[in-house]
Amino acid sequence: MKVHPLSTFLLAGLSSVAQQVNGEVVTIHGSGTTNPSKCIWHIMSLFMERSLVATRLTYRAVGSSTGQLEFLGVNNTDASTDPFQHVPHTHFGAGDIPVPSAAYEALNDATNEGEPNMVHLPFALSSISFFHSIPGVPNDDKGLKLNACLLARIFDGKITRWDDPEILALNVSREGHLKEVASRTNSGIYVARRVHGSSSTASVTKYLHEACKNEWPKSKVGSELGAKGLDEWHVRTKPCEGSGGMTECLKNNPGAIGYLDSGHGWSEDLAEVNVQNLDKTFLTSRAARDKGGITGAAGFTPPPDRIDGDWGSIQFINKAGEDTWPIVVMSYVYLRKDIDVFVSDDVERGLLKLFLESLYDDDYFGKCTDLGFSKPPASYVKKATDGLNSQGISWNFPIQIGQENMWSFESKDKTRKIAGAGKYVVSGKRQSLNGLKIDEISGKETELELEVKRLSAVLASMTSGEHDDHDDDRGHNSMKSGDSGQAQNALVLGAISFTLWICAILGYLVQRFLCGGKALYE
């Protein structure tokens, strides 16, 4: 079943009502990369719906660099005690880049006499891609093509128009569209880039350097250009905050180009650039994923020996292979080994461990594949799952429960008689009628979205003027004109219907759960 963002949002809303009613809440929280945020939020929503006791799992999508900053907690001092460096602000961090070797070593030196005191838990593979908003250009293998050097020249302000001869030479079949958008955008190409520290920025700048060193110097490779001695972005580039901000920059500016995590771009139906990989193949990240070219990129790099080792050199940029996508990222959870110091409550610490285990459970992560994510190679998964129960992580559960986690799963496919009713069991058997109804409504919403997209495509093809040479007879064109009017009417009705569904859903939830939530427990 497709996991729709609305379904995840509404399930989280239902869970929050239960927490307010039941009183004490078991809480864990993290922060970091925006890339797999929908995947993380979805899993957290399932936990909150399937738990017997009230739980509250939260994740702030703030970017990889901020996630690392808040996890490392450098100079986070407690005024009531002696200054103590490296106190985390969160229970866990997350990022699409490993913690840099220097920061990893500084943490170990400050907190554990130089011995490893954190782990990397790789849990998802995804891709970063370039997207554009040039009207009329198809979103497939016949779409816009750009190699690394052209991209570098665009982002460095050396190419400013879509009708530049170098771009036209590579996109002969799209010359009309490119000249048209160039004539309408007097200010030139709108070049969108991320602000603050971003793993997306780190990945695309590394790709531009690895694939075209002459055009993109190493002094422009990093998660935040202009910081830590790196060169600044070109003044023509436009700052956009987060994946959501990048999406708005692209949608609101015809003829724009930018970059963001592919799954987010796919879900927003953005047009993707066909990028050239190391084997000189032009392809989109979606096409690469369907051919195994995202997981294949990670197969070239074996994992470090231990999850508490230095992962700073691990990267999957510009790897070989005909169908390999050149900008692949691994998403990690960062966890302190001395976790019992910062999560002192045994129940919260147990919930945190079970949540981390769910990242490798198909019943939880499996649904994230609908959001554009893939599992890491088996060698990475084994390192992570083995390491969660070894390598010195201080779970330190109470002796009276056998020093084992009090939290456990009950699969939706296998009943644990009596045990499944336990206080600290996250059960796939435990759902709510309201949650099921939300899934049904979400399914209808998805159908409406697909219908609106279909009608939009029909309308675009009718008004673009593109048709076969033998379609020029007057009767056929007259038929097209009539169909165009019908398609426009159907598109408007579909959009209105879609909007009314959303209003109805939100109105129902506000009235049912926020205004009269007590009725659920009477």
Side-chain angles (χ1 to χ4, degrees):
M1 179 187 72
K2 181 180 178 182
V3 181
H4 201 282
L6 178 64
S7 177
T8 296
F9 168 73
L10 295 178
L11 284 174
L14 292 181
S15 302
S16 66
V17 174
Q19 295 148 15
Q20 293 169 10
V21 174
N22 289 334
E24 186 176 356
V25 181
V26 184
T27 303
I28 63 172
H29 65 103
S31 68
T33 173
T34 62
N35 184 7
S37 56
K38 291 180 181 179
C39 173
I40 293 173
W41 290 330
H42 176 71
I43 294 174
M44 288 180 164
S45 296
L46 290 178
F47 263 65
M48 291 186 282
E49 187 192 25
R50 296 178 176 185
S51 301
L52 175 61
V53 299
T55 58
R56 175 67 172 163
L57 293 83
T58 72
Y59 178 78
R60 290 168 49 249
V62 292
S64 294
S65 293
T66 301
Q68 289 186 358
L69 180 71
E70 294 181 352
F71 165 74
L72 293 169
V74 179
N75 294 325
N76 180 22
T77 59
D78 183 347
S80 65
T81 61
D82 292 333
F84 181 69
Q85 291 186 332
H86 291 83
V87 178
H89 298 269
T90 56
H91 292 155
F92 69 92
D96 300 323
I97 46 178
V99 171
S101 298
Y104 167 80
E105 293 171 1
L107 170 69
N108 296 338
D109 290 342
T111 64
N112 201 31
E113 298 181 345
E115 294 299 315
N117 201 23
M118 67 158 289
V119 299
H120 286 80
L121 298 172
F123 71 93
L125 271 180
S126 58
S127 55
I128 309 298
S129 189
F130 294 91
F131 293 88
H132 68 87
S133 57
I134 302 174
V137 176
N139 187 19
D140 55 26
D141 60 353
K142 297 180 176 62
L144 181 67
K145 295 180 180 179
L146 295 173
N147 57 37
C149 290
L150 286 177
L151 286 164
R153 289 170 65 79
I154 290 171
F155 277 82
D156 206 25
K158 296 174 183 175
I159 291 178
T160 61
R161 294 177 57 86
W162 284 117
D163 58 357
D164 185 279
E166 290 186 79
I167 296 177
L168 294 179
L170 200 58
N171 295 273
V172 176
S173 63
R174 297 296 150 206
E175 182 174 332
H177 295 109
L178 294 170
K179 287 185 174 180
E180 174 70 14
V181 73
S183 69
R184 295 185 178 183
T185 51
N186 294 328
S187 59
I189 301 173
Y190 185 103
V191 182
R193 48 88 173 175
R194 289 281 297 271
V195 296
H196 307 308
S198 162
S199 58
S200 298
T201 300
S203 299
V204 300
T205 56
K206 185 164 183 64
Y207 162 69
L208 294 177
H209 175 68
E210 292 291 329
C212 193
K213 290 182 172 63
N214 291 336
E215 294 289 351
W216 200 266
K218 193 171 184 179
S219 57
K220 283 193 170 183
V221 176
S223 61
E224 185 174 8
L225 299 195
K228 299 180 180 178
L230 295 177
D231 292 349
E232 296 277 359
W233 285 104
H234 192 275
V235 294
R236 285 185 52 83
T237 60
K238 311 297 183 182
C240 309
E241 184 164 351
S243 296
M246 178 64 74
T247 300
E248 292 303 310
C249 284
L250 289 168
K251 286 187 172 183
N252 296 336
N253 296 279
I257 187 171
Y259 57 88
L260 73 162
D261 52 286
S262 300
H264 197 119
W266 301 342
S267 69
E268 295 290 343
D269 204 26
L270 299 176
E272 191 172 349
V273 176
N274 285 266
V275 175
Q276 190 177 47
N277 66 15
L278 186 62
D279 282 27
K280 306 301 181 184
T281 304
F282 283 96
L283 74 172
T284 64
S285 60
R286 189 190 290 271
R289 181 200 62 175
D290 294 343
K291 297 176 180 179
I294 291 179
T295 53
F300 288 96
T301 306
D305 291 337
R306 296 173 59 90
I307 62 171
D308 64 355
D310 182 358
W311 286 60
S313 63
I314 300 297
Q315 55 89 13
F316 311 102
I317 304 298
N318 210 34
K319 299 298 183 181
E322 181 180 0
D323 299 318
T324 298
W325 183 247
I327 318 171
V328 173
V329 296
M330 184 89 79
S331 295
Y332 304 90
V333 163
Y334 315 127
L335 184 73
R336 287 284 290 263
K337 291 179 67 173
D338 54 350
I339 189 65
D340 58 332
V341 174
F342 307 106
V343 187
S344 58
D345 183 89
D346 297 328
V347 177
E348 288 189 348
R349 198 162 62 253
L351 181 62
L352 173 60
K353 185 173 188 289
L354 196 72
F355 166 72
L356 297 177
E357 291 173 352
S358 76
L359 300 176
Y360 306 97
D361 186 328
D362 286 343
D363 190 28
Y364 292 85
F365 180 83
K367 294 178 175 56
C368 295
T369 57
D370 292 328
L371 298 171
F373 299 95
S374 304
K375 286 183 179 180
S379 58
Y380 283 83
V381 171
K382 181 171 174 53
K383 290 286 184 185
T385 53
D386 289 351
L388 271 172
N389 295 299
S390 62
Q391 299 191 20
I393 301 176
S394 299
W395 296 115
N396 288 345
F397 296 119
I399 295 176
Q400 57 265 35
I401 60 170
Q403 292 187 312
E404 295 181 356
N405 192 358
M406 68 286 291
W407 287 87
S408 62
F409 289 119
E410 179 181 40
S411 168
K412 63 180 180 181
D413 299 321
K414 186 175 181 180
T415 301
R416 295 173 58 197
K417 295 180 180 179
I418 301 178
K423 185 176 181 180
Y424 299 120
V425 176
V426 177
S427 174
K429 302 283 187 179
R430 184 178 289 116
Q431 298 186 58
S432 67
L433 177 61
N434 297 311
L436 293 174
K437 290 296 183 184
I438 288 170
D439 283 344
E440 291 177 12
I441 294 171
S442 177
K444 293 182 182 299
E445 182 207 10
T446 300
E447 292 175 11
L448 286 170
E449 280 187 330
L450 292 174
E451 181 65 9
V452 170
K453 288 179 180 179
R454 187 187 72 80
L455 290 170
S456 297
V458 170
L459 183 59
S461 67
M462 289 179 174
T463 58
S464 66
E466 291 186 0
H467 53 276
D468 295 337
D469 292 339
H470 59 269
D471 286 341
D472 288 329
D473 63 275
R474 188 175 302 276
H476 183 85
N477 288 333
S478 175
M479 181 110 171
K480 271 197 162 188
S481 177
D483 287 347
S484 178
Q486 292 180 13
Q488 288 181 6
N489 293 335
L491 180 59
V492 171
L493 290 174
I496 293 172
S497 177
F498 172 72
T499 303
L500 289 175
W501 268 106
I502 298 298
C503 293
I505 293 168
L506 295 178
Y508 168 77
L509 288 172
V510 169
Q511 181 182 19
R512 182 71 175 86
F513 300 116
L514 300 184
C515 298
K518 290 185 178 179
L520 289 171
Y521 304 94
E522 293 175 351

